[in-house]
Amino acid sequence: MIWNPERETMGRPALEALQADALRRQVARVYEAVPFFRQAFRARGIEPGDVRSLADLPRLPFTTKADFRDNYPFGLLAVPRRSLARVHASSGTTGKPTVVAYSRNDMAVWREVCARNLTAAGITADDLVQVSMGYGLFTGGLGWHAGCEEIGATVLPMSSGNTKRQIMMIQDLGVTVLVCTPSYAVYIAEQAEEMGVDLTTSDLRVGIHGAEPWSEEMRREIRQRLGLDPIDTYGLSEAVGPGLAGECTEHQGLHICEDHFLAEIIDPATGDPLPAGEYGELVITTLTKEALPVIRYRTGDITRLHTEACPCGRTGARMEKVCGRTDDMLIVRGVNVFPSQIETVLLQVDGVQPHYQIVVDRQRGAMDDLEIWVEVSEENFADDIGRLRNLQRKAEFEMHEVLGIEAHIRLVEPHRIERSMGKAKRVIDRRDLYAGPDCPPAPER
Ligand code: DLL
């Protein structure tokens, strides 16, 4: 089923005409209402009238996370504060959170796009959906909650945490859809197995995941251990939250709600638009957002776009599974390393678990040291040293094959790595602690 066939199956020329029209109006609005955008446009010598078609998009200035910080909390609003219906926030890079805001109409659009994603995932009014993403300032819980209500599904607002209770509810209530981060899905599976509960025989049939990077191997793991179809969904607070894009049951990329969000791919180093089909940084312009519109927001997420037809009948562009972030990409001894590559390798090695952490360190004046902590399974942990050593060597060999550099694998006992009920923290980069020669050495952990 398609939630909004008129919008989701539109021909490309009609869609682009609609986008161009919305872009012109949005540019005029932000120029008028938001001093930040007016200044940024003027600095580039652009007047709203200069934006006539989508081809003019690259002339517009970017918006970045730093702009949110500099205009904290309400400096980017395009409407008076009293007309806000909702405020959310996500953690910022420094102390202050990134505050985002919605008008009443923005809330309606948000419900609509979440409803589209859920419907594309095969969810209907017959489903009982357990929303195990955080409720509160994070957009995940309340966003999906509203989408579920929109499509008439029954919603169980669990939020994250209290994992044993989550499992009890799945079993007792006959939950059919689980909404949570991929790392929490693995944790729920692990906890259920420890409780002797087999969730593969429960009524669970679809998992709505996202909010953090995850690999195809992680998807397989979740599918196998929870017995559901794991669907990837993508979004970010600065654009709307969840609902921006989501997979259909064909799993051929995430359908972008392009009538509301205009997507571009740029070269993260130069800022130049990249030719169709190339990997680069995703940039989003909100076409209909009223309260806090963004023009060419740099997501930092790396992906590429496809516009060829999807068997499901939706015609809009699809983004490929996000393969990393521009600021997540580690440069270790001059080689680009994405945490997603490491996850892919680890999940192919028999005997280790999908619980890992990447530690990059640099002793004063020395080379970068890439260490990957990964848990071994309960059975393997009981093995003798020789077998564990073989497992470690095998993982190190595979890692070298894929990354092209040496990584030290540190096998740790089950449950050593902290579990996540929201976004997992996979990378610990200690190198910035050694920023200058006068810095004291990093404290022992
Ligand atoms: O994570 C919104 C969301 C909630 C999306 C629930 C999907 C499901 P933020 O907290 O602002 O918003 O974080 C946005 O999370 O720029 C990506 O780096 C990352 N991210 C979100 N979805 C995915 C995904 C929500 N499917 C940031 N794959 C984004 C990889 C993702 N990364």
Side-chain angles (χ1 to χ4, degrees), residues 167 184-194 197 199 225-226:
I167 294 162
Y184 196 33
V186 174
Y187 183 27
I188 291 175
E190 178 186 60
Q191 185 74 247
E193 286 155 16
E194 280 171 13
V197 173
L199 285 179
R225 290 170 73 174
L226 288 179

Side-chain angles (χ1 to χ4, degrees), residues 228-406:
L228 47 69
D229 183 15
I231 296 279
D232 193 10
T233 62
Y234 170 86
L236 62 155
S237 319
E238 293 86 343
V240 72
L244 196 157
E247 281 179 334
C248 65
T249 49
E250 302 284 342
H251 298 287
Q252 295 192 12
L254 290 76
H255 293 275
I256 302 173
C257 295
E258 283 190 288
D259 49 336
H260 296 289
F261 308 102
L262 189 55
E264 298 170 82
I265 298 289
I266 62 159
D267 177 335
T270 64
D272 294 335
L274 286 172
E278 284 198 21
Y279 283 103
E281 180 178 352
L282 178 70
V283 168
I284 296 290
T285 298
T286 54
L287 291 173
T288 53
K289 194 101 188 292
E290 291 179 344
L292 208 165
V294 287
I295 303 291
R296 304 192 81 207
Y297 184 74
R298 292 190 63 157
T299 65
D301 296 312
I302 300 193
T303 182
R304 61 177 174 169
L305 302 182
H306 297 276
T307 46
E308 67 279 12
C310 178
C312 75
R314 289 173 184 80
T315 48
R318 280 162 290 146
M319 57 183 270
E320 228 171 76
K321 200 170 205 350
V322 170
C323 64
R325 281 189 54 80
T326 50
D327 51 11
D328 221 33
M329 185 180 80
L330 294 162
I331 305 181
V332 182
R333 284 170 248 142
V335 176
N336 294 353
V337 175
F338 284 103
S340 60
Q341 293 176 296
I342 293 179
E343 180 175 302
T344 301
V345 174
L346 286 179
L347 270 74
Q348 283 167 353
V349 176
D350 260 353
V352 301
Q353 294 290 300
H355 303 293
Y356 66 94
Q357 215 152 36
I358 302 161
V359 184
V360 196
D361 209 342
R362 177 185 295 160
Q363 298 307 328
R364 227 180 259 236
M367 299 264 276
D368 296 336
D369 182 31
L370 175 62
E371 190 170 70
I372 299 159
W373 293 36
V374 60
E375 287 183 12
V376 286
S377 55
E378 208 69 68
E379 313 88 81
N380 287 69
F381 192 61
D383 277 353
D384 58 52
I385 299 278
R387 303 227 335 225
L388 285 173
R389 184 87 189 106
N390 281 344
L391 179 60
Q392 180 194 14
R393 281 211 194 95
K394 182 161 183 291
E396 284 177 345
F397 174 80
E398 301 289 341
M399 208 56 84
H400 187 260
E401 289 286 285
V402 172
L403 304 182
I405 52 165
E406 299 231 337

Side-chain angles (χ1 to χ4, degrees), residues 42-56:
R42 282 189 181 150
R44 291 193 144 215
I46 298 168
E47 295 273 323
D50 297 336
V51 179
R52 280 180 285 271
S53 73
L54 296 180
D56 296 316

Side-chain angles (χ1 to χ4, degrees), residues 22-94:
L23 179 67
R24 280 190 292 268
R25 275 184 283 130
Q26 189 68 291
V27 163
R29 270 193 71 235
V30 300
Y31 189 88
E32 183 63 33
V34 189
F36 164 80
F37 285 117
R38 193 160 49 242
Q39 277 155 21
F41 282 30
R42 282 189 181 150
R44 291 193 144 215
I46 298 168
E47 295 273 323
D50 297 336
V51 179
R52 280 180 285 271
S53 73
L54 296 180
D56 296 316
L57 196 58
R59 299 175 58 195
L60 296 176
F62 291 118
T63 313
T64 64
K65 193 140 191 127
D67 297 326
F68 275 78
R69 191 176 60 223
D70 296 346
N71 293 282
Y72 175 84
F74 289 138
L76 295 179
L77 286 191
V79 297
R81 209 280 304 141
R82 69 174 301 281
S83 53
L84 297 185
R86 178 82 70 76
V87 173
H88 278 275
S90 69
S91 46
T93 37
T94 52

